[in-house]
Amino acid sequence: MISHEVLERALNLAQDAEVFHVASRETPAVFEANRLKLMETRETAGVALRIIKDGRIGFASTTNLEDLGKLVDAAAEVAPFGAEARLEFPSGRRYPPVDVYDPEVERFSMAEMVHLGQSLIEALRAHHTDVQCDAHVSKGVSTITLLNSRGGSVSYTRSVFGVHLEGTLVRGTDMLFVGDGQSSCHPVTDTALILESVEQQLDLARTVAPPISGSLPVIFTPHGVAGVLIGPLLAAFNGRTVLQGASPLVGRLGQRIADQRFSLWDDPTIPYVPGSGMADDEGVPTRRKALIDHGVAATFLYDLQTAAQAGTVSTGNASRSLASTPSPGASVLVIDEGDVSYEDMVKDVKEGIIVERLLGAGQGNVLAGDFNANVLLGYRVSDGKIAGRVKDTMVSGNVYEVLNNLVAIGNKARWLGGGFRTPALYSAGVSVSAKK
Amino acid sequence: KKRILDEYVATMLTVPGVQTCTIGYGDSRRKTVFASSEGAYTEQEQVHVILRLAAMARQDGEVQQAGVSLGSSGDFSIVTSLHSQAREMGQRAVDLLRAPKVKGGEYTVVLDPILAGVFIHEAFGHLSEADFVYENDHLRDLMRMGRHFGGRHLNVVDGAAIPGLRGSYKYDDEGTPATRTYLIREGELVGRLHSRETAAKMGESPTGNARAIGHTFPPIVRMTNTIIEPGNATFEGLIGDTKEGVYARNWYGGMTSMEMFTFSAGEAFMIRNGKIAELLRPVMLTGNLFTTLENLDGIAGDLDMNQGGGCGKGGQSPLPVSNGSPHIRIQRCLVGGT
């Protein structure tokens, strides 16, 4: 077995070692301009090695599984320049049972995938003949194996199935982009929700509303929440950022940083969600934890190295790609539902906007929690009614201000992508600037 | 390499108020072999160097950062004498803690060459990639040749045949020779960027812009080196004519959705009565492509290239590209702040 061989070789010249082996196979079906454009299968396999040699961490990775000696030598060559090793590889082999594999995903045929995508496009275009559709239906399976010199060992397989639909409507120089999707460890066969969401976006955006500027109430739909909040919050809760003193939340654990109705969890134990798993990418067993518990900053996210540096234990949040060393990251984020319906939120707004999709939200001072973005898809609300699409409009603000000025939290959460579940959030007073 | 970077870390940390810093350095050597059943066979080797320096300052729970991104196609000297720049980054991060936010709204903006390069890449470059228009009749009509996009002073070109830059190569990833393609000449649309597929579909010639980030990805239409050509104005003149505006420099990021684009500046200053005035918090600028190019009313002669970025498209990111421009001025640009 490759992992064992690498480990053995590594231990010839290092005191400790960890082998991360990933093999994956993905089959996307890509639809462009309302029809199937291409299908392909992509297979990749690779090994990453971390060694602790003379108290320092060496790292190397490769997709060339024929020359493992080179991998080991590369890790050894880099080790003298590496970080001082504060971590200890986990030795346990007990993991919570978290199901993330459904063999039906592999059995789902290419013909069925094509049919799924084509039907979805045709269903949208049946009532919207001027919308041009792109879509993506993909299935994939990956197997991860982790082995280390302390006796730690874990291996699991994950299946992922995703369906995504995008529509483009061009009228003169006006461009409207709508879209939605679903991702799961099970095959996604019921696309009704995707269709409904995209049709609703088309209906609401049909007319362009007059511009509005000012400090206004803003309703962030689940997509809007993802666009605005997640980047800054994850940067602030990242254990490494905290250690560097660059997080605005340094020293604030246990303090109120948001409205007391607001809770944010990282829960990689939810079954059949693509971001879940029984172990993190260092083999530490996963668990559910609150980042923000009823408004109070509860936990930062750590991997082994940053936890040791911070004098605490890993929260099971090590995240890595093949070619990078692990670093703290969220797995599956969940914002607790509140008790106000989206419809009631809209009715409550005298003059304000709804934010669905943003352009450029992650480009500002993310660490400080600032966001500054163009509202790519958003609607104007006047006297409690949606009055058309806003254009040439920017929203600017700070996520901590938004979370401390919440008017209401939606009562219906939904999944976005493979790892974020949230309701809508209704905030008072966000800065909106529009071109006159 | 590590020793030089350690020096920069030490330099940044000597600035009072700097909390921490991050430096990312990478170099790569890539050999690409291409063969086709039509008889084409090419072997090319490319070397890339990239460096990002960023300093973070914090005070009373507030955090600001300042950084710079540089790159080259193999020239290591861009990395070696950045001590004063490192110190500047540290100082700027600290200064930003005290800087006010810009009041959001429409402004006359003057962009430095680096930020203007990002602007043209996001605002126009992506729309010139033929795979965004070749299947969509409406977009093809919007992007018809001869269409007026800006003033007669505006000339925009893209090409891998421009040598020595991060987007330079001799043959693209379909074996097509690189070119230098005018996209806008004297304000009119005269060209676009093609792969063999988009060229065939649109009845135009391939331009050597089909690129794949790696062998597991299909080549798609990508930019290479994208440039606004120098004009007759001067930087001093562009600022001097502006009663109230924003001078923005040093890119931080950029994105486009075809009609709308955004790009964010690492550094911004108010312009008041023809002079550069107070430092502002980093700003985001956004606009509608079609009106913004019309509002581009001044192009200086001081062309400079931004080689510190990578472009993302279709899951293939970061692809080495360069973009550049002289200082430019845009009227009525929407600037985000509070």
Side-chain angles (χ1 to χ4, degrees), chain B residues 119-148:
Chain B
F119 159 71
I120 199 66
H121 174 105
E122 297 300 348
F124 186 72
H126 279 296
L127 200 55
S128 292
E129 291 165 344
D131 60 351
F132 279 120
V133 304
Y134 78 131
E135 292 275 25
N136 187 315
D137 290 338
H138 291 287
L139 289 175
R140 280 174 83 143
D141 188 57
L142 269 183
M143 297 297 285
R144 61 189 178 277
M145 292 297 142
R147 191 213 162 100
H148 181 84

Side-chain angles (χ1 to χ4, degrees), chain A residues 37 247 363 374 391 435, chain B residues 58 106 134 259 286 332:
Chain A
K37 169 84 192 251
S247 164
Q363 291 167 18
N374 181 307
K391 291 199 69 175
K435 219 165 149 79
Chain B
R58 78 175 280 132
E106 277 182 9
Y134 78 131
E259 183 197 354
T286 190
R332 290 181 302 280

